């Protein structure tokens, strides 16, 4: 599952982190699980997490001895919503110029 469209206008790494967290919204993810799911080094992931936390798009909680990260509820799409795929650059140009 992907994060809602209105939260996708940000750096690629932040979108990748949000998408991974939305996929595992109920159970949450550790930083190491995020590292396995997102193709980036740990420092880049931590920067993205910091930016997302500053914008209140993620929730961090301590469960037992683990720190779990969840996507905020407003980032998670409603299952009944139709998922719109992002149009490719070619499709957007074709639509804009009526080709």
């Amino acid at each position: 599952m992907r994060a809602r469209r209105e939260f996708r206008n940000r750096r690629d790494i932040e979108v990748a982190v949000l998408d991974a967290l939305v996929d595992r919204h109920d159970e949450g993810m550790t930083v190491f699980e995020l590292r396995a799911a997102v193709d980036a080094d740990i420092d880049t992931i931590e920067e993205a997490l910091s930016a997302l936390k500053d914008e209140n798009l993620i929730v961090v909680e301590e469960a037992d001895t683990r720190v779990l990260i969840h996507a905020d509820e407003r980032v998670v799409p409603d299952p009944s919503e139709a998922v719109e795929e992002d149009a490719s650059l070619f499709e957007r140009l074709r639509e804009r110029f009526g080709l």
Side-chain angles (χ1 to χ4, degrees):
M1 190 181 309
R2 296 171 44 171
R4 285 185 155 165
R5 178 180 287 278
E6 58 263 30
F7 299 103
R8 303 187 69 75
N9 187 16
R10 56 189 66 255
R11 291 181 28 215
D12 289 343
I13 184 64
E14 293 173 17
V15 172
V17 168
L18 280 177
D19 286 346
L21 291 172
V22 166
D23 277 343
R24 301 250 322 258
H25 177 66
D26 292 332
E27 56 270 3
M29 297 179 85
T30 65
V31 173
F32 296 112
E33 291 170 328
L34 271 171
R35 172 62 182 97
V38 177
D39 187 27
D41 62 77
I42 196 76
D43 292 330
T44 305
I45 291 172
E46 286 181 1
E47 288 175 19
L49 287 171
S50 177
L52 294 170
K53 179 72 175 157
D54 288 344
E55 294 184 36
N56 296 317
L57 297 178
I58 61 172
V59 177
V60 180
E61 66 179 29
E62 190 170 334
D64 298 323
T65 59
R66 298 172 18 153
V67 174
L68 294 175
I69 305 164
H70 298 270
D72 187 73
E73 289 292 329
R74 61 194 165 107
V75 177
V76 181
D78 184 11
S80 64
E81 290 179 13
V83 177
E84 295 180 26
E85 293 296 320
D86 291 335
S88 70
L89 176 62
F90 177 73
E91 290 170 342
R92 288 183 291 193
L93 287 172
R94 188 174 67 191
E95 185 177 301
R96 179 171 175 111
F97 293 112
L99 302 174

